[in-house]
Amino acid sequence: MPFHYDDQNIFAKILRGEIPNDTVAETEHSLAFNDIGPKAPVHVLVIPKGRYVSHDHFAAEADEAEIVDLARLTARVIAEMGLSPGEGGEGYRVISNAGDHGVQEVPHYHLHILGGRPLGRMVQAD
Ligand code: AMP
């Protein structure tokens, strides 16, 4: 089944400049901004500017420049926030939710960068 992208999702509106965002960094193909409801002292979202709904959609259809750009911007934010274990930071978590079981709220592909405190176990066994 082809991927369906909803142009009215909130991150599409952010990318079109229709609603504001708290930008952390921006590149040709990607945007990083603070999550409006932070779950940790650092909670940054990194999104491609292209119309992709999920990681698997992005990996399948984005071109290599977009994929590299998103990966490198994510690493840049991690470094700039002082989270990188390789640079003396305390670490972080990068996650991406997709679909119903992933409990994805916004259907525009995004990575959550979380850090600044111990984050607990990855998934609750409930
Ligand atoms: P997900 O459940 O992975 O789709 O996460 C969506 C995230 O987007 C949540 O953490 C929300 O707090 C965040 N969010 C929703 N609207 C905005 C907004 N206007 N600006 C920044 N973050 C937002």
Side-chain angles (χ1 to χ4, degrees):
M1 197 169 77
F3 294 100
H4 170 71
Y5 183 84
D6 173 10
D7 284 300
Q8 294 310 311
N9 81 76
I10 197 141
F11 293 170
K13 292 179 180 179
I14 285 175
L15 287 167
R16 289 196 296 268
E18 294 170 8
I19 62 170
N21 76 92
D22 185 9
T23 298
V24 171
E26 183 170 7
T27 59
E28 180 182 0
H29 297 297
S30 313
L31 178 68
F33 54 99
N34 284 309
D35 194 292
I36 204 166
K39 304 289 194 298
V42 175
H43 190 169
V44 177
L45 302 174
V46 186
I47 68 174
K49 293 181 178 177
R51 299 166 73 255
Y52 307 104
V53 297
S54 61
H55 179 81
D56 55 304
H57 185 198
F58 182 67
E61 296 190 8
D63 65 33
E64 291 184 10
E66 293 174 283
I67 293 170
V68 169
D69 189 270
L70 190 88
R72 293 259 162 81
L73 180 60
T74 302
R76 187 178 127 196
V77 172
I78 288 164
E80 289 178 358
M81 295 292 173
L83 302 176
S84 172
E87 304 287 341
E90 301 279 5
Y92 59 89
R93 181 171 295 153
V94 173
I95 55 176
S96 184
N97 302 314
D100 292 339
H101 282 194
V103 195
Q104 181 178 12
E105 293 172 17
V106 180
H108 180 110
Y109 176 46
H110 52 282
L111 299 176
H112 297 255
I113 302 172
L114 296 153
R117 66 167 173 79
L119 294 164
R121 297 179 70 86
M122 186 168 65
V123 177
Q124 304 295 327
D126 58 5

